Amino acid sequence: LLSCRLYCEEAKDPKRRSCQTVLAEALDIIIRSFAPILPHLAEEVFQYIPYKRDSEGVFHTGWINASSAWKKPGIEEAIEGACAMRDSFLGSISGKNALEYEVIIVIEPGLLFELMEALQAEETSSVSQLNEIMMASQTTLLSELPKEIPSDANIIKGTFLINLEGGDICEQSSYKVIAQPIAKAKCPRCRRYTAESSSTPCPRCLQVLAAGKGST
C-alpha cells in the first residue's frame, strides 16, 4: 500500500504527500515513546530526520502531542471492515498473487456500505484506498450481486460487527467478496494488472509520466 503511493504516484500528488505525512507523524511518536529509556538512540534518530525541526533536540520538544484531527469518527471501523474483507479474499487465493485478481465486494445498503464508500467513492477503482487495502488490481463496490458471475470466480461470505460511539451504534452486517482473475495486462511501471498491454503503462501511470514531463 505504502510502496504504491510513494513510488507510483506523482511527487506532489495528495495521496503521496498524505502517506509521507503519516510516516513522519508515526516516526515522531515512536521516537518520543522510546526517548526516556533509549535517550541516545532517540536523539540520534531525531538528528537524522530530513525535514525541518523547531528544536535542537528531541528532549526540547516535549512529549507526544498527537493532533485531534487524526481521530475521525468511523474511519477506524471502515479500515477494520476492509481488512476483514481483505483477509477473506487472501484466504480464498492462498499462495497466489493478489494483484492477478479483481475483487467485487457486495454489501447491502446500510452502515457498512457507507463506511466502504468513504474508502472508495467510485463503483470501480484501481487506485482507491479500498483497493489498496484489498491488495488487488481492481475493486468494485456493489449493493447487490452482479447478474453474471464467471465460473472461475470465488465467492466468500462473511460478517462484520460495527461498533461506533462507544457501543451506542452497533450493527452486524454481512458481505460477499467475489474474487476472479483479472483480464488486463501487467503494467510495466506499477506492476498492477491494469494495462491494455504488457508493453504500455496503465492509464494512471501514463498520467503520472505525462505530468512529470510537463513539469520539467
Side-chain angles (χ1 to χ4, degrees), residues 170-186:
C170 290
E171 184 176 298
Q172 182 85 18
S173 299
S174 60
Y175 63 83
K176 296 181 180 69
V177 177
I178 304 172
Q180 58 191 45
I182 195 163
K184 295 184 179 180
K186 185 177 183 180

Side-chain angles (χ1 to χ4, degrees), residues 79-173:
I79 298 297
E80 289 179 351
C83 287
M85 297 175 199
R86 179 197 61 195
D87 293 344
S88 298
F89 160 56
L90 295 178
S92 72
I93 60 163
S94 181
K96 297 180 181 179
N97 184 2
L99 289 175
E100 295 179 358
Y101 288 81
E102 62 175 313
V103 172
I104 301 174
I105 298 174
V106 183
I107 309 171
E108 293 184 358
L111 186 54
L112 182 59
F113 186 86
E114 293 175 4
L115 290 175
M116 292 306 105
E117 280 189 314
L119 301 177
Q120 179 170 303
E122 311 88 348
E123 182 176 284
T124 299
S125 177
S126 61
V127 296
S128 68
Q129 295 180 69
L130 179 58
N131 186 68
E132 290 180 339
I133 294 172
M134 295 302 295
M135 300 173 63
S137 279
Q138 180 175 286
T139 296
T140 298
L141 180 62
L142 301 174
S143 59
E144 57 183 17
L145 282 170
K147 294 181 179 180
E148 296 183 3
I149 300 176
S151 58
D152 58 348
N154 295 328
I155 302 179
I156 311 100
K157 298 180 181 180
T159 59
F160 181 74
L161 177 62
I162 301 170
N163 193 334
L164 290 173
E165 298 183 7
D168 291 339
I169 301 176
C170 290
E171 184 176 298
Q172 182 85 18
S173 299

